[in-house]
Amino acid sequence: MAESVVRALYGKATSLNLNSKKMTDVPKCVCAIEKLSVLLLNNNSIRSLPAELPALRHLAELNLGNNALKEIPAVLGHLESLKKLYLFRNQITAVPPEVIGRLQNLVVLNLNHNQIQRLPPEIKSLSNLQHLSVLDNNLEEVPAEIGHLTKLSEINLTSNKLSWLPQQLYQCKDLTKLHVARNQLSSLPEGIRTLAKLQVVDVAGNRLTMFPVEFHLLLLRELYCEGNMLVHCQPLPSVQDAEVLTLKELVARFVLLEDRNRSSLVHRLLPHYPRLTALLARGSCCAICLGPFLTTWLECVHFINLKKDMKMKTSLTIPVRALLCSYKCFSTPGHAYYGVATREIHDH
């Protein structure tokens, strides 16, 4: 090992490979190799990093995978040129905000196989991040600030404890691969259609019953959804209750409809009422009449064949959520939407 370091030091090397050297500490003389841009320290028993590490001002890639780190070393926050950071297979339980918030040039962050429970809001500082992988940890939630990572192209959250995903994830318009297999997700947020570049979705081993509205309009290449509780097409008798809309809902539908007309008075005045605009932003569109509505809907499902409808290689059929504005639309003949029934289980 010493020979490799000395050779790199005098040869003004730009990369140094010290993986699998049975090290517990990083030699301080490594920090004297000023032009070093790639430092590989994986497969050792490293517990800490030298305080002199920031002297490597050109360091762009650092691999600390498969070591004995119990926390992300604070010294990493001073490596401002770092673009790729690998910390997989350590014993890390937390991501310090003061460290992660300073790595603004990071493009790849790999935290796989640790015991991390949460990601801090300061992750929003990683404005250049393209690949985020936190596979096999103890994550219970993803911060809403993930939406600030607009260059993110791939995110891997497989094998965690997530029961929901933030709506803000859909602000990552460059996302091409979404891996959230083996979690506890019962649904995906509505609005996934905005991820026009999405090619791969892996939601296997969750608790999904159906996919979000307009999911079938995505140009996916791969979909993995085995091991969920997807609803099946099984006809059941239904009872139509009398439908009485509240005044709030009636007004909301009128305003939403008027807002579609750019020349209308309502459309021009709405920006002056931000609270009302925020309320109406939660509205939806009827799958049959295309009319807008706010909170009153009939939740339905239609069944999409991946090969026929999404041009994928598999012929699997999946349930996709659809929202209808009224029983009147639901009763219209000629559509393929099914109401979703909740079966009651009675003890005998």
Side-chain angles (χ1 to χ4, degrees):
M1 178 188 67
E3 183 181 342
S4 300
V5 176
V6 171
R7 193 185 307 118
L9 182 61
Y10 286 101
K12 298 181 179 180
T14 57
S15 65
L16 178 60
N17 188 340
L18 294 177
N19 62 357
S20 305
K21 300 293 184 183
K22 299 181 180 180
M23 295 189 302
T24 55
D25 296 294
V26 180
K28 291 183 180 180
C29 55
V30 168
C31 305
I33 310 173
E34 294 182 358
K35 294 186 177 181
L36 207 60
S37 64
V38 176
L39 179 56
L40 308 179
L41 299 168
N42 44 309
N43 304 326
N44 286 291
S45 301
I46 297 169
R47 295 186 176 87
S48 62
L49 296 177
E52 295 81 2
L53 201 64
L56 301 177
R57 291 180 292 114
H58 302 289
L59 194 63
E61 179 177 342
L62 177 60
N63 193 328
L64 285 162
N66 199 16
N67 274 286
L69 296 172
K70 293 189 176 181
E71 58 184 19
I72 297 180
V75 71
L76 294 182
H78 299 282
L79 298 175
E80 297 178 0
S81 295
L82 208 57
K83 291 185 177 181
K84 297 181 180 180
L85 177 58
Y86 301 91
L87 290 164
F88 57 87
R89 292 195 186 282
N90 278 275
Q91 299 155 32
I92 299 167
T93 57
V95 179
E98 65 277 9
V99 177
I100 207 71
R102 300 181 66 175
L103 298 175
Q104 297 177 10
N105 289 313
L106 216 56
V107 174
V108 176
L109 176 59
N110 186 319
L111 297 166
N112 295 347
H113 309 296
N114 282 288
Q115 293 108 44
I116 298 167
Q117 293 184 335
R118 61 183 295 272
L119 297 174
E122 285 76 9
I123 197 170
K124 67 181 180 182
S125 299
L126 306 183
S127 55
N128 290 298
L129 199 66
Q130 295 178 21
H131 299 269
L132 173 62
S133 194
V134 202
L135 179 150
D136 185 27
N137 276 271
N138 295 322
L139 282 184
E140 295 181 357
E141 63 179 47
V142 177
E145 287 77 9
I146 196 85
H148 290 266
L149 308 184
T150 54
K151 293 184 180 180
L152 203 62
S153 67
E154 183 174 346
I155 183 168
N156 194 332
L157 302 170
T158 294
S159 296
N160 278 282
K161 298 178 179 179
L162 300 171
S163 57
W164 59 281
L165 292 175
Q167 180 77 40
Q168 291 82 354
L169 179 65
Y170 297 157
Q171 294 171 13
C172 305
K173 305 293 187 187
D174 283 343
L175 204 63
T176 60
K177 297 180 181 179
L178 174 61
H179 297 274
V180 285
R182 296 189 292 282
N183 278 280
Q184 299 166 18
L185 301 173
S186 57
S187 65
L188 295 176
E190 294 298 336
I192 197 170
R193 178 74 177 92
T194 61
L195 298 181
K197 296 182 180 180
L198 202 58
Q199 296 179 5
V200 178
V201 173
D202 186 355
V203 290
N206 278 282
R207 301 172 182 176
L208 300 181
T209 55
M210 65 182 80
F211 290 88
V213 171
E214 296 188 336
F215 182 83
H216 58 292
L217 299 181
L218 292 170
L219 301 176
L220 294 185
R221 292 182 181 176
E222 300 174 33
L223 172 63
Y224 305 97
C225 58
E226 60 274 12
N228 280 280
M229 299 183 288
L230 299 176
V231 298
H232 299 283
C233 183
Q234 184 177 358
L236 295 171
S238 65
V239 178
Q240 181 173 332
D241 297 324
E243 188 176 33
V244 181
L245 299 179
T246 64
L247 180 61
K248 175 183 175 182
E249 182 63 27
L250 287 170
V251 172
R253 292 188 181 194
F254 171 78
V255 173
L256 285 166
L257 197 59
E258 282 292 302
D259 188 41
R260 292 179 176 181
N261 182 1
R262 293 182 176 275
S263 61
S264 74
L265 181 62
V266 170
H267 178 77
R268 295 199 302 268
L269 290 178
L270 205 52
H272 298 286
Y273 298 90
R275 290 181 63 182
L276 178 58
T277 303
L279 174 68
L280 296 176
R282 299 202 296 266
S284 301
C285 179
C286 179
I288 292 180
C289 73
L290 305 183
F293 57 90
L294 182 57
T295 55
T296 303
W297 66 75
L298 176 64
E299 183 178 76
C300 291
V301 63
H302 56 133
F303 295 89
I304 299 298
N305 183 278
L306 299 185
K307 192 170 187 177
K308 177 183 175 184
D309 301 308
M310 296 182 71
K311 313 302 179 189
M312 296 173 65
K313 293 180 180 180
T314 176
S315 57
L316 184 70
T317 296
I318 63 168
V320 174
R321 192 168 179 245
L323 301 178
L324 273 58
C325 70
S326 64
Y327 281 106
K328 179 182 178 182
C329 281
F330 182 58
S331 301
T332 304
H335 66 75
Y337 298 109
Y338 298 83
V340 181
T342 303
R343 292 193 178 210
E344 294 185 6
I345 300 175
H346 300 282
D347 295 326
H348 295 283

